[in-house]
Amino acid sequence: MTQNRSSGRNSPQRPYVLEHMRNIGVAAHIDAGKTTTTERILFYTGVIHKVGEVHEGTAVTDWMEQERERGITITSAAISCGWTTKHGLFAGIPHRINIIDTPGHVDFTAEVERSLRVLDGAVAVFCAVAGVQPQSETVWRQMNKYHVPRIAFINKMDRTGANFLGAVEDIRTKLGGNAHPLFLNIGTEENFSGLVDLVRMRAYIYDDGDGDGVRFSDVQIPGEEMERAEKFRVKLLEALVDFDDNLAEKYLQGSEVSESEMRIAIRKATVSLNFIGVIPGSAFKNRGIQMVVDAVVDYLPNPCDLPPMPAFKDDGSQIGLEPDDAAKMSTLAFKIMHDPYVGKLVFCRVYTGQLKKGDVVYNPRTRKTERISRLVVMKADAREDIDVAYSGDICAIVGVKGVVTGDTICERSLDAQLEPPTFPEPVISMSIEPNSKADQEKLSLALQRLAEEDPTFRITSDAETKQTLISGMGELHLDIIRDRLFREFKVGATAGKPRIAYQETITIRAEGEGKFIRQSGGRGQYGHAVVVIEPGERGSGTQVINEIVGGVIPREYIKPVEEGILEGSRGGIVAGYPVVDFIARIIDGSFHEVDSSELAFKMAGIFGFKEAMKKAKAILLEPVMKVDVQTPEEYQGDVVGDLNRRRGQVQNMENKHGLCEVTAFVPLEAMFGYATDVRSLSKGRASYSMEPSHFAQVPAAVLAQVVESSSRAAART
């Protein structure tokens, strides 16, 4: 299963061959135990010598002040470690594992999105009590989007109500995953004492006196567990025969299947994306983690196992990039971070070739070159300088200026762009004003840096109120941004109340004529355009089509008309919010040989669009959130009643282990302050999560309030 170092892909200088590398992410719902699991992996692989705890604020990968205070992960942290398995396909061969610990809170979904874009595999962590939770579904969809092979770790097996097979069934029914146990738990809740390995048919019993879980006994499967183990091993074999012809033949003939044959089949099945091996354990109690790392090495893909990465040339043609140290260099910048000591850090995944310190690299987006002055490998918040990063490596570049998230950095002769990660649109905004003249410049610089780091954070200027608006994915997102402004950047600023990022759209086709004619002696201004707008599919964005024939508007003035239409769409006629999901067609117009200009036609485009908007029956859209509440059953009625009062539409209710999980669609406008309200309704025992779902038309009663609020804001200026 291993390839020789001299194989064409590997440079003789690289410390780990490509086949012995794993780039993985740890992802899950809030509080399923991602960071604790990562912390234990780092302990067992020797990166750290004392286990940190999230609740104590000592976890290595939660290094931001805000993460340690809140006990949540906000930014994805990259860290490298080494591991050598004792059994399996790669027994005795050292492997390099690059791990990214991702956030679970939906407000920081961009961190998960961009991490999964550059990873080869993932460990999906689930709670043994709650099973598949709402954010688990979001993360799972993101993994599917980027075709990431995965294994599942069912954490918290020591907790009351833990149900390993129930969680496996949840993955099958709720996520549609072909999940099968690779290990079975021995005991559960406070009696969880070990695991049964269904491949080796051995048991691992943990020593209660060994608090750090380093020592465990590798023994025969206890008699009372043998029947169950044999039953699930047969089920596992039956699931694997679809992926390996050799295994299928042996199984059908009734021949003995060897341990290595099973492992090869599990690896093939996992890499195919059609099989998820599941492992039980308890990260907090230090049980099952070594088995997870073994499974990462044995079953998750190395960079060579995956299909070529598509890259796009300027002419629209596509090429496939395969990991190879001798190929032309290409990397994808997936994350920007500003370090107080070294400045701008650009996190990169090297796909082909070698990225070297001192290289001059090319950015196809900007058409500019930059020199790599310094390369580092990140160990959470610590840095280790390196001279070269090879294919498959994840590293950080120090000091490059013109690079943003999603940029490709490559050799000029390659000149092809890798597909960047995609990010959702912000749904909430608030105003922010500097307290003094001195703070003005600091605020501007700080916001610029934060926007560079976070693609879901936007800065806009309200033309009517002259205020600076910051937009993000939720209240927590903006709260963290505001906190970082005050602490990291020492900016004195006043933040307004959060506001909804409404949108406007049209419901019928309409035509508008725009004329901009000015005569004031000498050369005047003349622009004339006729614009038709019609509704597009919800979520389709904006499209401007030129249908001018016969040269009634010269070609050089078409682009200014298009720009005018797009500028006009930035503020609608209902309440001044951006207009979305429409198709605009430029169908007619006229020009003047002397007086026509680009400015005149741009103004004609704005006027034509506004005129058409007045006839197109415009409506206001509001962001609707998918809200998932977990509450003890006795408070179910109160919680559902409260959601109904907030204009919520309950979609589903499910009772499990004394908890009721309620799923509803609720307008974001009605969700402000919900964290406090749901706690008081349930005496502090309910929890919830929400994520943007879709935009829907605002009811008439709410519309009047929004329009009045916009008018008051305009009047203040």
Side-chain angles (χ1 to χ4, degrees):
M1 287 300 293
T2 64
Q3 293 186 28
N4 192 293
R5 182 179 289 274
S6 62
S7 70
R9 295 176 185 268
N10 291 292
S11 160
Q13 283 79 39
R14 66 181 300 149
Y16 287 84
V17 297
L18 273 160
E19 291 78 9
H20 301 157
M21 285 185 68
R22 303 289 182 269
N23 291 315
I24 66 158
V26 181
H29 182 86
I30 310 154
D31 202 32
K34 297 175 300 301
T35 302
T36 307
T37 301
T38 307
E39 202 70 16
R40 297 316 189 263
I41 291 173
L42 298 182
F43 174 69
Y44 292 124
T45 55
V47 173
I48 57 175
H49 303 291
K50 181 180 182 298
V51 175
E53 300 292 359
V54 174
H55 60 275
E56 292 172 4
T58 54
V60 172
T61 53
D62 280 354
W63 52 270
M64 287 173 65
E65 279 182 66
Q66 292 87 347
E67 292 179 314
R68 290 181 167 173
E69 284 175 5
R70 289 170 164 83
I72 60 170
T73 300
I74 294 166
T75 182
S76 50
I79 199 156
S80 297
C81 59
W83 186 251
T84 306
T85 60
K86 291 179 181 175
H87 313 285
L89 301 173
F90 304 98
I93 301 171
H95 277 64
R96 161 73 60 87
I97 304 174
N98 297 318
I99 304 172
I100 296 184
D101 173 35
T102 63
H105 201 288
V106 71
D107 283 23
F108 311 109
T109 190
E111 288 290 326
V112 186
E113 190 87 19
R114 59 179 163 196
S115 298
L116 290 173
R117 167 64 184 83
V118 297
L119 292 171
D120 302 328
V123 177
V125 183
F126 298 90
C127 172
V129 181
V132 171
Q133 295 169 278
Q135 193 62 19
S136 316
E137 296 180 38
T138 306
V139 170
W140 199 266
R141 282 197 303 272
Q142 289 170 313
M143 289 184 199
N144 289 342
K145 175 180 173 182
Y146 293 113
H147 309 295
V148 179
R150 69 215 72 155
I151 56 175
F153 176 53
I154 308 298
N155 191 23
K156 304 190 180 183
M157 283 299 300
D158 58 306
R159 280 189 43 192
T160 304
N163 183 348
F164 174 61
L165 295 178
V168 174
E169 189 56 31
D170 249 13
I171 296 171
R172 288 170 146 294
T173 54
K174 291 186 178 177
L175 302 177
N178 183 22
H180 291 273
L182 302 178
F183 294 80
L184 294 175
N185 55 300
I186 298 175
T188 189
E189 301 178 349
E190 71 272 12
N191 298 318
F192 176 53
S193 59
L195 289 83
V196 171
D197 185 339
L198 296 179
V199 176
R200 289 186 68 222
M201 286 304 276
R202 297 283 291 176
Y204 308 122
I205 308 294
Y206 283 88
D207 178 1
D208 282 336
D210 176 23
D212 60 18
V214 172
R215 291 184 299 278
F216 54 84
S217 306
D218 181 343
V219 299
Q220 293 278 355
I221 298 172
E224 66 274 14
E225 297 289 342
M226 183 57 84
E227 187 182 337
R228 182 164 165 255
E230 286 174 343
K231 173 185 159 189
F232 277 94
R233 190 174 199 268
V234 169
K235 285 188 174 183
L236 178 59
L237 280 166
E238 287 172 350
L240 294 172
V241 293
D242 293 336
F243 302 98
D244 191 302
D245 293 341
N246 177 47
L247 188 85
E249 191 179 331
K250 277 199 158 191
Y251 179 71
L252 291 171
Q253 288 174 354
S255 305
E256 184 64 34
V257 176
S258 72
E259 184 186 319
S260 63
E261 286 169 333
M262 267 191 93
R263 289 187 194 276
I264 291 167
I266 295 169
R267 183 176 181 80
K268 281 182 184 175
T270 304
V271 173
S272 78
L273 294 169
N274 295 312
F275 176 90
I276 295 95
V278 192
I279 304 165
S282 167
F284 184 61
K285 290 288 179 69
N286 308 305
R287 292 180 181 179
I289 301 298
Q290 295 98 323
M291 295 74 193
V292 171
V293 190
D294 282 346
V296 165
V297 168
D298 263 354
Y299 307 133
L300 289 183
N302 64 57
C304 304
D305 287 326
L306 299 171
M309 185 57 60
F312 302 90
K313 294 279 199 179
D314 260 359
D315 59 7
S317 61
Q318 181 178 321
I319 58 173
L321 301 178
E322 297 190 42
D324 186 343
D325 291 342
K328 292 177 181 178
M329 186 275 295
S330 66
T331 75
L332 181 70
F334 68 94
K335 178 179 167 70
I336 309 288
M337 194 175 95
H338 287 89
D339 186 288
Y341 302 106
V342 299
K344 183 175 175 179
L345 279 169
V346 178
F347 284 77
C348 288
R349 161 72 189 265
V350 184
Y351 280 98
T352 57
Q354 301 175 38
L355 181 65
K356 296 176 180 174
K357 190 168 79 170
D359 277 356
V360 174
V361 296
Y362 178 67
N363 185 336
R365 181 183 63 83
T366 61
R367 303 267 170 228
K368 291 181 180 174
T369 56
E370 290 198 61
R371 184 176 292 278
I372 305 293
S373 60
R374 191 176 166 196
L375 277 177
V376 295
V377 172
M378 298 301 291
K379 300 286 178 80
D381 59 340
R383 295 168 299 278
E384 180 185 309
D385 280 87
I386 56 171
D387 292 325
V388 57
Y390 300 94
S391 296
D393 282 349
I394 290 175
C395 64
I397 304 170
V398 180
V400 288
K401 291 189 175 69
V403 177
V404 299
T405 299
D407 274 358
T408 299
I409 299 169
C410 63
E411 290 183 30
R412 187 164 207 142
S413 57
L414 180 63
D415 195 11
Q417 294 193 57
L418 291 153
E419 191 176 340
T422 55
F423 302 105
E425 290 293 312
V427 296
I428 189 169
S429 60
M430 70 181 181
S431 62
I432 189 148
E433 298 294 329
N435 290 344
S436 66
K437 204 77 165 181
D439 286 317
Q440 175 74 54
E441 198 172 320
K442 285 201 298 188
L443 177 66
S444 176
L445 180 65
L447 290 176
Q448 187 183 333
R449 284 191 177 177
L450 290 168
E452 241 186 342
E453 288 184 13
D454 186 348
T456 58
F457 172 62
R458 306 277 170 82
I459 312 153
T460 51
S461 183
D462 191 315
E464 291 182 348
T465 64
K466 309 295 186 227
Q467 286 180 314
T468 299
L469 297 179
I470 58 175
S471 306
M473 299 306 297
E475 282 184 275
L476 178 61
H477 188 193
L478 293 185
D479 191 36
I480 297 291
I481 293 283
R482 187 170 52 185
D483 199 34
R484 289 186 66 190
L485 281 174
F486 300 155
R487 286 200 206 183
E488 275 177 50
F489 299 97
K490 307 292 188 288
V491 176
T494 305
K497 286 185 177 177
R499 302 195 301 185
I500 311 298
Y502 291 103
Q503 295 178 349
E504 296 183 24
T505 194
I506 58 172
T507 55
I508 61 168
R509 187 177 187 276
E511 184 179 301
E513 186 174 19
K515 287 185 177 178
F516 185 76
I517 303 172
R518 297 286 184 274
Q519 206 67 48
S520 55
R523 183 176 172 178
Q525 295 278 5
Y526 186 96
H528 171 218
V530 180
V531 177
V532 168
I533 57 175
E534 55 193 59
E537 291 287 322
R538 193 62 56 83
S540 63
T542 301
Q543 192 179 358
V544 181
I545 300 170
N546 172 28
E547 293 186 352
I548 292 295
V549 289
V552 291
I553 298 177
R555 186 176 297 172
E556 65 266 28
Y557 296 136
I558 297 296
K559 189 163 177 52
V561 176
E562 292 175 353
E563 289 171 356
I565 291 168
L566 293 174
E567 190 167 312
S569 72
R570 288 178 196 155
I573 62 164
V574 181
Y577 289 96
V579 185
V580 298
D581 303 338
F582 68 87
I583 299 165
R585 303 178 193 277
I586 309 166
I587 62 165
D588 201 1
S590 62
F591 73 103
H592 190 280
E593 290 283 357
V594 178
D595 291 350
S596 284
S597 67
E598 289 189 2
L599 174 64
F601 273 98
K602 183 176 180 180
M603 296 305 295
I606 293 173
F607 294 158
F609 177 78
K610 294 288 188 187
E611 181 67 29
M613 274 289 289
K614 291 174 185 172
K615 307 172 191 171
K617 294 192 176 175
I619 58 171
L620 190 68
L621 302 174
E622 63 181 343
V624 176
M625 312 300 282
K626 181 188 175 208
V627 181
D628 291 277
V629 188
Q630 287 186 316
T631 176
E633 289 175 357
E634 60 262 41
Y635 305 113
Q636 178 181 334
D638 293 337
V639 167
V640 170
D642 182 63
L643 289 171
N644 288 333
R645 280 192 293 277
R646 294 172 190 269
R647 299 193 284 130
Q649 297 176 333
V650 175
Q651 303 296 305
N652 187 43
M653 287 191 283
E654 185 181 351
N655 291 67
K656 190 163 56 174
H657 309 304
L659 283 177
C660 177
E661 191 173 292
V662 183
T663 303
F665 290 130
V666 191
L668 177 59
E669 178 270 333
M671 289 302 292
F672 288 123
Y674 186 65
T676 307
D677 293 345
V678 77
R679 275 198 295 267
S680 62
L681 280 172
S682 63
K683 297 183 180 172
R685 293 171 63 195
S687 62
Y688 83 102
S689 66
M690 67 177 183
E691 61 179 310
S693 172
H694 61 278
F695 278 79
Q697 185 173 352
V698 173
V702 179
L703 176 62
Q705 294 170 13
V706 176
V707 172
E708 187 184 340
S709 171
S710 297
S711 302
R712 278 202 306 270
R716 281 198 295 272
T717 61

